[in-house]
């Protein structure tokens, strides 16, 4: 590889990163890996973080900033991918922090074992209690050898603690480009279908149980907002769409790789999260609207096709009986 081509492109979408941006940037600048470029995609920030990113770019030649109108995290990541030059890419969030050795550890794994994907463990950091806990507990999964992408995804999903998040690893850019894999614009939790499809194409994956990434849980994070009423109806559409996309991915690759029962289980699991949201929704009109959309999108049939295991079948049949009852009220 030419010396002026970085080993790793770090692509960070940023929208109103706030006070955490400085802490995040310091953890990036502290990385022991030196062959890297940092691409910050300012997604129309209005809190001054775009200007602060520009200041970093003026001081450090390996940092560049792309400014674009607010279009969501998927469009921001896609813009970063289009500009990336590294052999590997990664996508940390601008309000988290990284261990100083994170990217050196992962790139060394990738280079030594010719990996398409190198992943690590992370820790949750709870702002209110100032406490941490592992994302994937060690008793559920320890470091692995080299696995195929489908084998790794199956093993990870069986922990019931794995999260389909792109910030857990580094990814071979040539593979992403070869399969023309991009993030779905406007879709919340687009990491789920993206990582699933990537893993079904990855031939060599390895995981270290070292916790090298700290994910901050706070009230402002998108995934922790309490939604009710019409906002909740709109939000649950994303999960209905994700369940559909996961089933389509499984169908598309069923003659190419082994589609494990856990991949089907995941489809039904994502759809069941909508059922839980329906039960918690206090607004009767919103509840009816969510039930109507679940049936209109044929998600009830999708869950039946993909349910795996006695426990999930029991949950599903219980939920479907409730949905039919609530639907006919």
């Amino acid at each position: 590889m030419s010396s002026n081509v970085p080993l790793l492109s770090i692509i960070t979408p940023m929208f109103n990163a706030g006070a955490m941006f400085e802490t995040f940037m310091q953890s990036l600048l502290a990385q022991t890996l030196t062959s890297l470029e940092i691409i910050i995609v300012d997604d129309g920030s209005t809190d001054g973080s775009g200007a602060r990113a520009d200041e970093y770019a003026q001081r450090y030649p390996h940092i560049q900033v792309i400014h674009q109108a607010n279009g969501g995290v998927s469009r921001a990541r896609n813009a970063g991918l289009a500009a990336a030059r590294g052999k590997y890419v990664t996508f940390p969030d601008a309000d988290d922090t990284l261990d100083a050795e994170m990217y050196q550890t992962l790139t060394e794994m990738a280079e030594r074992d010719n990996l398409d994907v190198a992943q690590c463990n992370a820790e949750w950091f709870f702002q209110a209690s100032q406490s941490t806990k592992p994302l994937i507990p060690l008793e559920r999964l320890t470091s692995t050898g080299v696995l195929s992408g489908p084998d790794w995804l199956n093993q990870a999903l069986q922990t019931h603690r794995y999260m389909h998040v792109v910030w857990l690893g580094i990814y071979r850019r040539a593979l992403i480009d070869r399969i023309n894999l991009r993030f779905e614009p406007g879709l919340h939790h687009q990491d789920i279908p993206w990582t699933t499809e990537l893993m079904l194409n990855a031939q060599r994956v390895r995981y270290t149980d070292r916790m090298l990434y700290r994910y901050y849980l706070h009230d402002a994070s998108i995934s922790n907002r309490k939604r009710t009423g019409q906002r909740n109806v709109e939000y649950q559409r994303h999960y209905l769409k994700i369940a559909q996309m996961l089933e389509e991915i499984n169908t598309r690759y069923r003659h190419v790789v082994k589609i494990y029962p856990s991949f089907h289980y995941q489809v039904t699991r994502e759809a069941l999260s909508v059922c839980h949201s329906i039960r918690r929704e206090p607004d009767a009109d919103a509840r009816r609207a969510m039930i109507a959309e679940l049936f209109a999108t044929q998600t009830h049939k999708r869950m039946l096709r993909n349910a795996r295991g006695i426990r999930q079948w029991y949950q599903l049949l219980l939920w479907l009986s409730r949905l039919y009852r609530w639907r006919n009220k």
Side-chain angles (χ1 to χ4, degrees), residues 123-187:
E123 64 181 6
W124 301 104
F125 181 79
F126 299 91
Q127 298 274 47
S129 61
Q130 296 285 293
S131 61
T132 63
K133 76 171 187 180
L135 178 69
I136 305 178
L138 281 174
E139 65 270 16
R140 290 184 181 248
L141 186 66
T142 55
S143 298
T144 70
V146 178
L147 300 167
S148 73
D151 287 351
W152 155 248
L153 184 58
N154 176 52
Q155 195 167 326
L157 287 174
Q158 287 183 333
T159 68
H160 298 290
R161 290 291 184 274
Y162 178 67
M163 284 181 67
H164 292 268
V165 285
V166 291
W167 38 258
L168 268 181
I170 65 169
Y171 313 94
R172 189 190 296 273
R173 186 166 63 88
L175 173 60
I176 295 169
D177 289 344
R178 179 172 64 77
I179 62 176
N180 194 30
L181 186 61
R182 294 297 181 265
F183 294 91
E184 181 83 9
L187 182 69

Side-chain angles (χ1 to χ4, degrees), residues 64-317:
Q64 65 168 300
V65 183
I66 298 170
H67 296 280
Q68 61 184 39
N70 181 249
V73 66
S74 291
R75 286 189 175 90
R77 284 175 177 164
N78 289 341
L81 266 175
R85 298 179 302 122
K87 182 175 180 180
Y88 307 99
V89 294
T90 188
F91 306 90
D93 287 344
D95 54 357
D96 295 329
T97 56
L98 324 168
D99 185 286
E101 294 183 355
M102 176 170 177
Y103 292 131
Q104 182 170 345
T105 301
L106 293 176
T107 54
E108 283 179 355
M109 285 168 58
E111 290 289 276
R112 182 176 61 244
D113 290 320
N114 189 28
L115 302 179
D116 294 316
V117 179
Q119 286 197 311
C120 64
N121 204 353
E123 64 181 6
W124 301 104
F125 181 79
F126 299 91
Q127 298 274 47
S129 61
Q130 296 285 293
S131 61
T132 63
K133 76 171 187 180
L135 178 69
I136 305 178
L138 281 174
E139 65 270 16
R140 290 184 181 248
L141 186 66
T142 55
S143 298
T144 70
V146 178
L147 300 167
S148 73
D151 287 351
W152 155 248
L153 184 58
N154 176 52
Q155 195 167 326
L157 287 174
Q158 287 183 333
T159 68
H160 298 290
R161 290 291 184 274
Y162 178 67
M163 284 181 67
H164 292 268
V165 285
V166 291
W167 38 258
L168 268 181
I170 65 169
Y171 313 94
R172 189 190 296 273
R173 186 166 63 88
L175 173 60
I176 295 169
D177 289 344
R178 179 172 64 77
I179 62 176
N180 194 30
L181 186 61
R182 294 297 181 265
F183 294 91
E184 181 83 9
L187 182 69
H188 285 301
H189 307 298
Q190 75 293 330
D191 294 29
I192 299 172
W194 193 92
T195 51
T196 298
E197 184 157 5
L198 183 76
M199 289 303 179
L200 296 193
N201 284 277
Q203 294 185 358
R204 297 178 64 82
V205 178
R206 206 172 144 211
Y207 167 77
T208 173
D209 56 25
R210 287 182 62 187
M211 291 180 288
L212 300 174
Y213 190 100
R214 174 173 278 191
Y215 180 81
Y216 287 77
L217 277 165
H218 46 79
D219 292 338
S221 79
I222 289 176
S223 52
N224 290 306
R225 291 180 193 151
K226 295 285 189 288
R227 295 175 177 82
T228 57
Q230 184 58 31
R231 287 181 67 228
N232 195 23
V233 175
E234 292 166 4
Y235 188 68
Q236 297 311 319
R237 284 179 191 145
H238 296 279
Y239 283 104
L240 296 176
K241 169 81 172 185
I242 285 167
Q244 177 189 334
M245 290 174 73
L246 288 176
E247 186 180 52
E248 289 170 353
I249 290 168
N250 287 345
T251 302
R252 199 157 62 242
Y253 288 96
R254 72 184 187 277
H255 299 307
V256 182
V257 297
K258 180 174 181 180
I259 302 298
Y260 284 94
S262 62
F263 301 176
H264 294 286
Y265 180 98
Q266 181 74 8
V267 175
T268 299
R269 183 173 180 266
E270 298 298 342
L272 281 171
S273 71
V274 179
C275 299
H276 290 286
S277 184
I278 290 168
R279 183 181 61 180
R280 292 191 297 264
E281 174 56 58
D283 183 278
D285 289 340
R287 206 161 50 240
R288 279 192 291 271
M290 283 191 280
I291 293 170
E293 289 199 15
L294 189 146
F295 282 102
T297 56
Q298 302 290 297
T299 301
H300 58 305
K301 294 180 181 177
R302 184 166 292 116
M303 289 192 287
L304 286 165
R305 282 194 298 270
N306 288 280
R308 296 294 186 274
I310 293 171
R311 185 177 177 187
Q312 191 177 61
W313 266 109
Y314 172 77
Q315 289 178 323
L316 176 57
L317 294 174

